[in-house]
């Protein structure tokens, strides 16, 4: 008797709809990345500097944790923080729980620049604004589901 459910044997072959969704996700990611890089450049930042600054606007973080979130080496993060610190966008502070550790934190100017950068992102904002609230909630939930 033939089964209509996926088996582990054929589960590695996506159906046409899944392939189309995968391609669309790839295109969205590429276009968002391009928009982000252009917005960063308008603020005289590299993409890595902009991402680090955005993370620090959420909370101060030690270099090691920044490196984990950015998926790079701690030495790279140190250089990025050095350049942002020289521009007055971040500062190094003692960790309130361990004074031997320094954390990087966004300055008020850094938060202003990050907010301006976020406001200048155009690619995702305009199409999302055209969706109903229910469609945005469904999209958000689907993306959360994909991320686990």
């Amino acid at each position: 008797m033939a089964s209509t459910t996926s088996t582990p044997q054929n589960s590695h072959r996506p159906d046409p709809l899944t392939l189309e969704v995968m391609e669309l996700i790839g295109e969205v990611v590429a276009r968002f990345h391009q928009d982000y890089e252009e917005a960063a450049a308008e603020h005289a930042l590299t993409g890595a500097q902009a991402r680090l600054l955005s993370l620090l606007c959420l909370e101060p973080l030690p270099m090691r944790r920044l490196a984990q979130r950015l998926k790079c080496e701690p030495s790279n993060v140190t250089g990025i923080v050095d350049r942002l610190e020289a521009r007055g966008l971040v500062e190094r502070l003692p960790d309130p729980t361990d004074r031997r550790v320094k954390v990087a934190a966004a300055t008020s100017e850094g938060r202003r620049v990050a907010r301006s950068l976020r406001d200048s992102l155009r690619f995702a904002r305009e199409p999302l604004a055209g969706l109903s609230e229910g469609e945005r909630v469904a999209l958000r939930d689907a993306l959360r589901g994909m991320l686990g």
Side-chain angles (χ1 to χ4, degrees), residues 78-143:
T78 300
I80 295 168
V81 169
D82 287 345
R83 288 185 285 285
L84 292 173
E85 189 174 37
R87 289 186 53 190
L89 302 176
V90 303
E91 58 187 340
R92 289 179 169 92
L93 303 169
D95 186 322
T97 61
D98 184 351
R99 293 187 58 84
R100 295 170 297 170
V101 175
K102 294 280 186 186
V103 296
T107 62
S108 59
E109 177 64 9
R111 286 188 295 279
R112 186 196 65 72
V113 168
R115 194 169 35 254
S116 175
L117 187 146
R118 186 176 55 247
D119 290 346
S120 67
L121 293 174
R122 295 169 293 280
F123 165 68
R125 183 182 320 121
E126 292 167 9
L128 287 172
L131 299 177
S132 70
E133 183 177 354
E135 289 170 323
R136 289 193 311 272
V137 167
L139 178 59
R140 179 203 61 201
D141 293 347
L143 293 171

Side-chain angles (χ1 to χ4, degrees), residues 9-69:
Q9 222 170 356
N10 67 12
S11 65
H12 68 280
R13 287 186 231 146
D15 62 89
L17 177 58
T18 299
L19 287 172
E20 182 181 7
V21 170
M22 290 168 57
E23 288 295 320
L24 289 169
I25 289 172
E27 182 64 24
V28 166
V29 168
R31 290 186 55 196
F32 184 82
H33 180 74
Q34 179 183 353
D35 190 31
Y36 196 86
E37 293 288 327
E38 290 170 2
E42 289 172 11
H43 293 82
L45 297 169
T46 65
Q49 289 171 336
R51 285 187 294 280
L52 187 142
L53 185 58
S54 293
L55 283 173
L56 293 180
C57 285
L58 300 173
E59 64 178 323
L61 293 167
M63 302 295 183
R64 190 164 304 284
R65 182 114 29 95
L66 279 167
Q68 290 169 344
R69 296 230 180 127

